[in-house]
Structure formats: C-alpha cells, structure tokens
Amino acid sequence: MSTARAAIARFDERSDAALERLRGTPALDRLMSAATRSGEFSLAWHVAGVARGALTGRWDQTIALAAGLGAESLIVNQGMKRLFRRTRPTPSGDERFALRTPLTSSFPSGHASAATFAAVTLIGWDGPKSVPLWGTLAATIAISRPYVRIHHASDIVGGVVAGAALAAAARAVYRRVGIS
C-alpha cells in the first residue's frame, strides 16, 4: 500500500473509532439519521432554497441554486464516483440506522459535496452573518455520513473539496447571468 493510501486508511480508521464512541447516544443517533435523510437528493437544500425565496423574493436565486445542485449531482455522482469506484465502509450503512442503500460508490461523498456547494453559494448571497446557519447545516449533513457508516471520513473531505470547487465555478456563471 502506498504511503498516501496508508495515511488515508489511518485517518479513516481513527475517525471511525472516534465516531463509534458517539454512536449509541440516542439524541445524536436521531440527529444524524435525520441529517443523512435530509441530505438525500439535496432535499434540505431545495427546501432551504424555496423557503429563502419565499422570504426574500429572490426566486432567481432559488432556481439558480436548484440548477446548480443538479449540475453538482451529475458531476459528482455520475462522473467522479464512476472514476474512483471506492468501496463503502458498509454496503448499506451501520445496521443500527435505517438508511437508503446508495447506488453509487463512496468517493467523494455526494452529501458532503452538495452540502458544501449549497452552503458556499448561500453564504455568498447572504453574507458572513449566515455562516452559522448554512455552515452548521452543511457540516451536520456531511458528518452524518461517516456517523451512519455509509462513507469513510476521507470521502467527506473529498466531497467538501469538490463542492467548494463546483460552487466557485457556479458563482462565476451566476455572476455572468446577473444572479448575485
């Protein structure tokens, strides 16, 4: 095994051991299960976009966020995951949690990528005061994936990097078409 792969494996093992000490905490188990389900198909982010559109009247941003999330999903789930084909830590998650069995491979985490994409986009529109709201929601959804053992911790890191890069690209497109 290469040095880099060994380091990633150690990171994943240590992260899983740290999360295992938290698993079995009823309130945390419920929170992480709900967070993981809310991240399915970017549901939390589409709901947030619609609620935000209703509050601000910025329906152009609601539509731009939905379109951006669609593009992010295609790139990550149909592109990057097919390229890497990494095996998940468990085929359908830890048996302690009722989860939908994913159809794609593990790396990068689509939940983490979508969460980062949406949070970076929304913070760009709403400003620094919105970091606690969007950052906390994104972090919770991302962390829920290794918590329920459907992703390795390093998949989350990859998803965050992918989501941030795609958000930067989308921001340029949004500005070009007058959505800021």
Side-chain angles (χ1 to χ4, degrees), residues 19 27-28 30-39 44-45 111-112 115-116 119 132-148 156 160:
L19 290 171
L28 199 51
R30 284 191 301 276
L31 173 66
M32 292 298 160
S33 292
T36 236
R37 282 192 297 277
S38 76
W45 301 109
H111 277 62
T116 302
L133 172 63
W134 303 129
T136 300
L137 181 58
T140 303
I141 290 172
I143 296 291
S144 75
R145 300 305 276 171
Y147 187 93
V148 299
I156 305 311
V160 167

Side-chain angles (χ1 to χ4, degrees), residues 18 23 31 98 128 146 166 168 172:
R23 293 179 189 116
L31 173 66
L166 292 168

Side-chain angles (χ1 to χ4, degrees), residues 46 48-54 56 58-67 125:
H46 291 296
V50 169
R52 193 177 161 280
T56 66
R58 292 298 309 265
W59 294 106
D60 59 331
Q61 290 178 345
T62 301
I63 294 166
L65 178 64
W125 289 334

Side-chain angles (χ1 to χ4, degrees), residues 99-126:
L99 303 171
R100 180 184 68 85
T101 300
L103 299 175
T104 58
S105 64
S106 194
F107 184 87
S109 165
H111 277 62
S113 178
T116 302
F117 177 91
V120 168
T121 299
L122 292 167
I123 290 165
W125 289 334
D126 295 343

Side-chain angles (χ1 to χ4, degrees), residues 10-26 28-29 31-33 36 89 94 96-97 139-157:
R10 281 192 307 276
F11 171 72
D12 288 336
E13 289 166 10
R14 289 177 181 153
S15 298
D16 189 58
L19 290 171
E20 186 58 37
R21 290 191 290 273
L22 300 173
R23 293 179 189 116
T25 306
L28 199 51
D29 287 356
L31 173 66
M32 292 298 160
S33 292
T36 236
D94 190 304
R96 293 173 281 189
F97 305 100
T140 303
I141 290 172
I143 296 291
S144 75
R145 300 305 276 171
Y147 187 93
V148 299
R149 299 195 74 233
I150 207 73
H151 275 290
H152 303 279
S154 56
D155 298 336
I156 305 311
V157 174

